Every structure is written in structure tokens, then in C-alpha cells.
Amino acid sequence: MSSASATKTPAVVGKLSTVDRYLAVWIGVAMIVGLILGRWIPGLNAALEKVQIDGISLPIALGLLIMMYPVLAKVRYDRLDTVTGDKKLLAGSLVLNWVVGPALMFALAWLFLPDLPEYRTGLIIVGLARCIAMVIIWNDLACGDREAAAVLVAINSVFQVFMFAVLGWFYLSVLPGWLGLEQTTIDASPWQIAKSVLIFLGIPLLAGFLSRFFGERAKGRDWYDNTFIPKISPWALYGLLFTIVALFSMQGEQITSQPWDVVRIALPLLAYFALMWGGGYILGAAIGLGYERTTTLAFTAAGNNFELAIAVAIATYGATSGQALAGVVGPLIEVPVLVGLVYVSLALRKRFSPNIREVSSR
């Protein structure tokens, strides 16, 4: 390990705020608070779901938008060409997200839940919905490449519009038929998926781009990076914690009243997140992407678009269906697992020699 690499990680850790440093604690508290609120306050779930945006509760939608804006405002949009020229990164991401991910979730769902078709279908839907939102937070916390994350998320969004329904048809109907397994269907139009992408990625992405464009033009890059960004940065984590409280409170009663079902659903999810993240990390290191882009590749491969998965499950099978419960359990498992992987990623950072692009960009 070089001296430059050795000094870089402590410097990053030393800059963490109190919220960042004890992130796992705050997220754990948010989960518990959400469960308590949902379990013990009658009518809270109905109140939170009363107003919706594209099938997602308004509080959760607002939390997601607030969470994503600061990170996307940090992106150096003038550097995106360095990402689009990285063919190894783009090819690796496409293979992991659209070949390996759905196939792995299909296999795990049938392996762990052969006797529970509703939950199995819900998990397969989660596997088809590639991440376009919360992965931006995990990548930033793990000091991944912001510009690469923005590009990969945008690519996932485009593929999602055109491939989600096709892959749903393949993994729920065609492939099970070939294998002699139980078949089902999915109802998800390209427009429904496009709306989800436009709302949960398009709005914060446009806001982030305009903030940097007009902020730098008005007061310069130094003011924007060193004065404006530090002021808005904490709101990413505030939005994350608010989203977790709202999400857990909405499903608190359902989760606590069906603990064994939640455990059954959680097991293949745990395996999925670990295998996808580990596979992304191994691939990135093997093809020489460097720490930042390897981290981005791993997190964009492991994360899922739970907003879309839940919306599709509810629209197709109903809000009280087993498919919807599986969709809800997805982010409940993803959040603590990927928070843990943020710390694992930072611990592995010392194993990477700093490359020229990473050192110059941070």
C-alpha cells in the first residue's frame, strides 16, 4: 500500500460529520422509530398513503427527492465524458445489471421460496428493477465516483423503460415454462416505468445540473464547491433518514405481524445483495477500474429500484398481496445491508493503489 493511499482514507474519515460517522446508528434508530410509529399509531399508514406520486406515498417520494438532490448537485457534469469513454465500466455495469442481476434473483427466489409463489414473484420483480435512486447515496458515502454513478444510473433508467416489462415476461412466464415451473404474468407498461424514472431520477438530476450550472456562472466553482455544497450536503442524509422512518412506519404492522414471512423473504435478499456487491467489486478490481469506479460498479449492481418494484407489485397484484410485501421487504433489507457494505468498501480502500484520475478528482 502506498503512502498516498494510506493517508487518503483517514483524511476522508476525519472529514465525516457526526451524522455521517454514526450513520449505522441513525439508520437503526430510524428503522425502530418507523416500526414503533406504524405499529402503535392507528391510521398512520392510511394517512401516509392518502396522497401518492406515481403509486408511491407522497412522504416517501419527497424523502427520495430530497435525498438525491444534494448528491446530484455535487456531480461535475463537465467530467461525464471521462465516464462514457470507459468501455470496461459501462460493459461491466450492463452485464451485471441486466444479465446477472435478474438471473440471480430468479434463481434465489426459486431456491428459497419454491412453496411461496406470491413472495417468489415479488422478489423476481425486485430483481428486475435496477437501482436509480438510493444507490447514489451509498456510492457517495463509500467515496465512489459521483460522475460514474450519475452515468450508470442514467443508463439503467433508459434500459429500465424498455426492458423491465420484457424481462418480466421472460422471467415470470417464458423461462418457468421452459423449465416446467409455475408461470405468472406482470402488468407494467413502458409509460408507467418511464414516469417512475422521470420523477425519481429526472427531477433531482435536472435540479442538480441547474444548481451547478447557474451557481458556477453566478459565483464561481470555488464558491459552489466549498460554500454551497457543504450547506446542502447534510440534507441527503436527512432525506434518507426521513424516508426510512416513513417506509418502516407504513409497513410496521404488516412486518411485525408476519415475522416469519419476512425472514423467509429476507434470506434470498441477503444472498442477492452480498453476491451482486461482491461480484461487482471482484469484476471492477479484476479489470483495473480503481477504487472509486469499482465501488460505483459494485453498488449500482447491488441496489434495486424499490419504488418501481413496489408500484408494479401493487398495481398488478394489490396492496395487500404477497408480491407487494416482498417488494416492501426489499428496501428494508437493502438499507442496513448496503450501509454495512459502505463500511466494508471503505475498509477495502487501502488495498487499491490510487490512480491518477482518482487523486486529481478528489
Side-chain angles (χ1 to χ4, degrees), residues 87-107:
K87 301 298 189 295
K88 292 187 293 184
L89 173 66
L90 298 181
S93 178
L94 288 174
V95 170
L96 285 171
N97 276 287
W98 297 103
V99 179
V100 177
L104 176 62
M105 188 67 93
F106 174 86

PDB file of all heavy atoms in Angstrom, residues 87-107:
ATOM      1  N   LYS A  87     -15.138   2.080 -21.505  1.00  0.00           N
ATOM      2  CA  LYS A  87     -15.921   0.967 -22.039  1.00  0.00           C
ATOM      3  C   LYS A  87     -15.985  -0.202 -21.070  1.00  0.00           C
ATOM      4  O   LYS A  87     -16.999  -0.911 -20.995  1.00  0.00           O
ATOM      5  CB  LYS A  87     -15.318   0.499 -23.370  1.00  0.00           C
ATOM      6  CG  LYS A  87     -15.262   1.590 -24.451  1.00  0.00           C
ATOM      7  CD  LYS A  87     -16.666   2.062 -24.811  1.00  0.00           C
ATOM      8  CE  LYS A  87     -16.665   2.981 -26.028  1.00  0.00           C
ATOM      9  NZ  LYS A  87     -15.965   4.247 -25.807  1.00  0.00           N
ATOM     10  N   LYS A  88     -14.917  -0.435 -20.317  1.00  0.00           N
ATOM     11  CA  LYS A  88     -14.922  -1.553 -19.368  1.00  0.00           C
ATOM     12  C   LYS A  88     -15.954  -1.336 -18.274  1.00  0.00           C
ATOM     13  O   LYS A  88     -16.678  -2.265 -17.882  1.00  0.00           O
ATOM     14  CB  LYS A  88     -13.522  -1.719 -18.748  1.00  0.00           C
ATOM     15  CG  LYS A  88     -12.465  -2.175 -19.711  1.00  0.00           C
ATOM     16  CD  LYS A  88     -11.161  -2.490 -19.022  1.00  0.00           C
ATOM     17  CE  LYS A  88     -10.499  -1.263 -18.441  1.00  0.00           C
ATOM     18  NZ  LYS A  88      -9.164  -1.565 -17.851  1.00  0.00           N
ATOM     19  N   LEU A  89     -16.044  -0.112 -17.772  1.00  0.00           N
ATOM     20  CA  LEU A  89     -17.020   0.199 -16.734  1.00  0.00           C
ATOM     21  C   LEU A  89     -18.447   0.038 -17.269  1.00  0.00           C
ATOM     22  O   LEU A  89     -19.296  -0.593 -16.626  1.00  0.00           O
ATOM     23  CB  LEU A  89     -16.815   1.630 -16.234  1.00  0.00           C
ATOM     24  CG  LEU A  89     -17.863   2.164 -15.257  1.00  0.00           C
ATOM     25  CD1 LEU A  89     -17.817   1.400 -13.942  1.00  0.00           C
ATOM     26  CD2 LEU A  89     -17.664   3.647 -15.014  1.00  0.00           C
ATOM     27  N   LEU A  90     -18.726   0.606 -18.438  1.00  0.00           N
ATOM     28  CA  LEU A  90     -20.074   0.560 -18.992  1.00  0.00           C
ATOM     29  C   LEU A  90     -20.489  -0.869 -19.317  1.00  0.00           C
ATOM     30  O   LEU A  90     -21.612  -1.290 -19.003  1.00  0.00           O
ATOM     31  CB  LEU A  90     -20.153   1.429 -20.247  1.00  0.00           C
ATOM     32  CG  LEU A  90     -19.872   2.922 -20.060  1.00  0.00           C
ATOM     33  CD1 LEU A  90     -20.013   3.653 -21.389  1.00  0.00           C
ATOM     34  CD2 LEU A  90     -20.809   3.526 -19.026  1.00  0.00           C
ATOM     35  N   ALA A  91     -19.595  -1.638 -19.940  1.00  0.00           N
ATOM     36  CA  ALA A  91     -19.919  -3.019 -20.292  1.00  0.00           C
ATOM     37  C   ALA A  91     -20.128  -3.865 -19.043  1.00  0.00           C
ATOM     38  O   ALA A  91     -21.073  -4.665 -18.966  1.00  0.00           O
ATOM     39  CB  ALA A  91     -18.802  -3.612 -21.153  1.00  0.00           C
ATOM     40  N   GLY A  92     -19.258  -3.685 -18.053  1.00  0.00           N
ATOM     41  CA  GLY A  92     -19.398  -4.441 -16.814  1.00  0.00           C
ATOM     42  C   GLY A  92     -20.705  -4.141 -16.113  1.00  0.00           C
ATOM     43  O   GLY A  92     -21.381  -5.045 -15.602  1.00  0.00           O
ATOM     44  N   SER A  93     -21.102  -2.862 -16.098  1.00  0.00           N
ATOM     45  CA  SER A  93     -22.347  -2.475 -15.447  1.00  0.00           C
ATOM     46  C   SER A  93     -23.551  -3.072 -16.165  1.00  0.00           C
ATOM     47  O   SER A  93     -24.489  -3.574 -15.527  1.00  0.00           O
ATOM     48  CB  SER A  93     -22.459  -0.952 -15.401  1.00  0.00           C
ATOM     49  OG  SER A  93     -23.678  -0.559 -14.813  1.00  0.00           O
ATOM     50  N   LEU A  94     -23.568  -3.012 -17.484  1.00  0.00           N
ATOM     51  CA  LEU A  94     -24.691  -3.546 -18.246  1.00  0.00           C
ATOM     52  C   LEU A  94     -24.848  -5.051 -18.026  1.00  0.00           C
ATOM     53  O   LEU A  94     -25.961  -5.555 -17.855  1.00  0.00           O
ATOM     54  CB  LEU A  94     -24.511  -3.244 -19.730  1.00  0.00           C
ATOM     55  CG  LEU A  94     -24.710  -1.788 -20.150  1.00  0.00           C
ATOM     56  CD1 LEU A  94     -24.358  -1.599 -21.618  1.00  0.00           C
ATOM     57  CD2 LEU A  94     -26.143  -1.335 -19.888  1.00  0.00           C
ATOM     58  N   VAL A  95     -23.743  -5.773 -18.022  1.00  0.00           N
ATOM     59  CA  VAL A  95     -23.805  -7.224 -17.818  1.00  0.00           C
ATOM     60  C   VAL A  95     -24.304  -7.549 -16.414  1.00  0.00           C
ATOM     61  O   VAL A  95     -25.184  -8.406 -16.229  1.00  0.00           O
ATOM     62  CB  VAL A  95     -22.422  -7.863 -18.068  1.00  0.00           C
ATOM     63  CG1 VAL A  95     -22.423  -9.323 -17.615  1.00  0.00           C
ATOM     64  CG2 VAL A  95     -22.053  -7.767 -19.540  1.00  0.00           C
ATOM     65  N   LEU A  96     -23.766  -6.881 -15.414  1.00  0.00           N
ATOM     66  CA  LEU A  96     -24.172  -7.151 -14.036  1.00  0.00           C
ATOM     67  C   LEU A  96     -25.641  -6.807 -13.805  1.00  0.00           C
ATOM     68  O   LEU A  96     -26.379  -7.564 -13.167  1.00  0.00           O
ATOM     69  CB  LEU A  96     -23.297  -6.357 -13.064  1.00  0.00           C
ATOM     70  CG  LEU A  96     -21.870  -6.867 -12.855  1.00  0.00           C
ATOM     71  CD1 LEU A  96     -21.064  -5.857 -12.039  1.00  0.00           C
ATOM     72  CD2 LEU A  96     -21.871  -8.224 -12.144  1.00  0.00           C
ATOM     73  N   ASN A  97     -26.064  -5.666 -14.324  1.00  0.00           N
ATOM     74  CA  ASN A  97     -27.419  -5.190 -14.042  1.00  0.00           C
ATOM     75  C   ASN A  97     -28.499  -5.898 -14.841  1.00  0.00           C
ATOM     76  O   ASN A  97     -29.581  -6.154 -14.313  1.00  0.00           O
ATOM     77  CB  ASN A  97     -27.502  -3.680 -14.296  1.00  0.00           C
ATOM     78  CG  ASN A  97     -27.044  -2.861 -13.109  1.00  0.00           C
ATOM     79  OD1 ASN A  97     -27.724  -2.768 -12.105  1.00  0.00           O
ATOM     80  ND2 ASN A  97     -25.858  -2.284 -13.222  1.00  0.00           N
ATOM     81  N   TRP A  98     -28.219  -6.206 -16.093  1.00  0.00           N
ATOM     82  CA  TRP A  98     -29.294  -6.682 -16.963  1.00  0.00           C
ATOM     83  C   TRP A  98     -29.174  -8.136 -17.384  1.00  0.00           C
ATOM     84  O   TRP A  98     -30.103  -8.679 -17.992  1.00  0.00           O
ATOM     85  CB  TRP A  98     -29.401  -5.777 -18.182  1.00  0.00           C
ATOM     86  CG  TRP A  98     -29.762  -4.403 -17.738  1.00  0.00           C
ATOM     87  CD1 TRP A  98     -28.942  -3.324 -17.626  1.00  0.00           C
ATOM     88  CD2 TRP A  98     -31.041  -3.972 -17.262  1.00  0.00           C
ATOM     89  NE1 TRP A  98     -29.621  -2.250 -17.123  1.00  0.00           N
ATOM     90  CE2 TRP A  98     -30.923  -2.611 -16.892  1.00  0.00           C
ATOM     91  CE3 TRP A  98     -32.279  -4.596 -17.121  1.00  0.00           C
ATOM     92  CZ2 TRP A  98     -31.988  -1.884 -16.379  1.00  0.00           C
ATOM     93  CZ3 TRP A  98     -33.346  -3.874 -16.623  1.00  0.00           C
ATOM     94  CH2 TRP A  98     -33.193  -2.532 -16.256  1.00  0.00           C
ATOM     95  N   VAL A  99     -28.068  -8.790 -17.031  1.00  0.00           N
ATOM     96  CA  VAL A  99     -27.918 -10.222 -17.292  1.00  0.00           C
ATOM     97  C   VAL A  99     -27.805 -10.977 -15.971  1.00  0.00           C
ATOM     98  O   VAL A  99     -28.617 -11.851 -15.660  1.00  0.00           O
ATOM     99  CB  VAL A  99     -26.693 -10.509 -18.193  1.00  0.00           C
ATOM    100  CG1 VAL A  99     -26.546 -12.014 -18.418  1.00  0.00           C
ATOM    101  CG2 VAL A  99     -26.827  -9.792 -19.530  1.00  0.00           C
ATOM    102  N   VAL A 100     -26.796 -10.618 -15.180  1.00  0.00           N
ATOM    103  CA  VAL A 100     -26.524 -11.358 -13.948  1.00  0.00           C
ATOM    104  C   VAL A 100     -27.600 -11.113 -12.886  1.00  0.00           C
ATOM    105  O   VAL A 100     -28.118 -12.060 -12.281  1.00  0.00           O
ATOM    106  CB  VAL A 100     -25.132 -10.979 -13.390  1.00  0.00           C
ATOM    107  CG1 VAL A 100     -24.879 -11.699 -12.060  1.00  0.00           C
ATOM    108  CG2 VAL A 100     -24.054 -11.333 -14.394  1.00  0.00           C
ATOM    109  N   GLY A 101     -27.939  -9.826 -12.629  1.00  0.00           N
ATOM    110  CA  GLY A 101     -28.868  -9.500 -11.551  1.00  0.00           C
ATOM    111  C   GLY A 101     -30.221 -10.183 -11.655  1.00  0.00           C
ATOM    112  O   GLY A 101     -30.635 -10.895 -10.729  1.00  0.00           O
ATOM    113  N   PRO A 102     -30.969 -10.011 -12.751  1.00  0.00           N
ATOM    114  CA  PRO A 102     -32.269 -10.672 -12.861  1.00  0.00           C
ATOM    115  C   PRO A 102     -32.177 -12.192 -12.799  1.00  0.00           C
ATOM    116  O   PRO A 102     -33.026 -12.843 -12.183  1.00  0.00           O
ATOM    117  CB  PRO A 102     -32.770 -10.203 -14.236  1.00  0.00           C
ATOM    118  CG  PRO A 102     -32.072  -8.905 -14.464  1.00  0.00           C
ATOM    119  CD  PRO A 102     -30.720  -9.074 -13.861  1.00  0.00           C
ATOM    120  N   ALA A 103     -31.139 -12.768 -13.440  1.00  0.00           N
ATOM    121  CA  ALA A 103     -30.986 -14.225 -13.432  1.00  0.00           C
ATOM    122  C   ALA A 103     -30.691 -14.728 -12.022  1.00  0.00           C
ATOM    123  O   ALA A 103     -31.223 -15.767 -11.592  1.00  0.00           O
ATOM    124  CB  ALA A 103     -29.872 -14.639 -14.393  1.00  0.00           C
ATOM    125  N   LEU A 104     -29.851 -14.005 -11.288  1.00  0.00           N
ATOM    126  CA  LEU A 104     -29.516 -14.416  -9.926  1.00  0.00           C
ATOM    127  C   LEU A 104     -30.735 -14.345  -9.018  1.00  0.00           C
ATOM    128  O   LEU A 104     -30.992 -15.280  -8.235  1.00  0.00           O
ATOM    129  CB  LEU A 104     -28.401 -13.527  -9.374  1.00  0.00           C
ATOM    130  CG  LEU A 104     -28.001 -13.774  -7.920  1.00  0.00           C
ATOM    131  CD1 LEU A 104     -27.468 -15.202  -7.740  1.00  0.00           C
ATOM    132  CD2 LEU A 104     -26.961 -12.760  -7.458  1.00  0.00           C
ATOM    133  N   MET A 105     -31.524 -13.267  -9.108  1.00  0.00           N
ATOM    134  CA  MET A 105     -32.710 -13.161  -8.260  1.00  0.00           C
ATOM    135  C   MET A 105     -33.729 -14.235  -8.614  1.00  0.00           C
ATOM    136  O   MET A 105     -34.386 -14.796  -7.711  1.00  0.00           O
ATOM    137  CB  MET A 105     -33.336 -11.777  -8.398  1.00  0.00           C
ATOM    138  CG  MET A 105     -34.467 -11.524  -7.404  1.00  0.00           C
ATOM    139  SD  MET A 105     -33.898 -11.445  -5.689  1.00  0.00           S
ATOM    140  CE  MET A 105     -33.633  -9.670  -5.520  1.00  0.00           C
ATOM    141  N   PHE A 106     -33.886 -14.554  -9.883  1.00  0.00           N
ATOM    142  CA  PHE A 106     -34.777 -15.638 -10.302  1.00  0.00           C
ATOM    143  C   PHE A 106     -34.358 -16.947  -9.647  1.00  0.00           C
ATOM    144  O   PHE A 106     -35.190 -17.683  -9.081  1.00  0.00           O
ATOM    145  CB  PHE A 106     -34.751 -15.769 -11.825  1.00  0.00           C
ATOM    146  CG  PHE A 106     -35.522 -16.944 -12.354  1.00  0.00           C
ATOM    147  CD1 PHE A 106     -36.892 -16.847 -12.602  1.00  0.00           C
ATOM    148  CD2 PHE A 106     -34.894 -18.147 -12.620  1.00  0.00           C
ATOM    149  CE1 PHE A 106     -37.607 -17.926 -13.089  1.00  0.00           C
ATOM    150  CE2 PHE A 106     -35.602 -19.236 -13.105  1.00  0.00           C
ATOM    151  CZ  PHE A 106     -36.963 -19.130 -13.339  1.00  0.00           C
ATOM    152  N   ALA A 107     -33.055 -17.248  -9.706  1.00  0.00           N
ATOM    153  CA  ALA A 107     -32.555 -18.499  -9.132  1.00  0.00           C
ATOM    154  C   ALA A 107     -32.736 -18.533  -7.617  1.00  0.00           C
ATOM    155  O   ALA A 107     -33.171 -19.548  -7.054  1.00  0.00           O
ATOM    156  CB  ALA A 107     -31.080 -18.678  -9.501  1.00  0.00           C
TER     157      ALA A 107
END
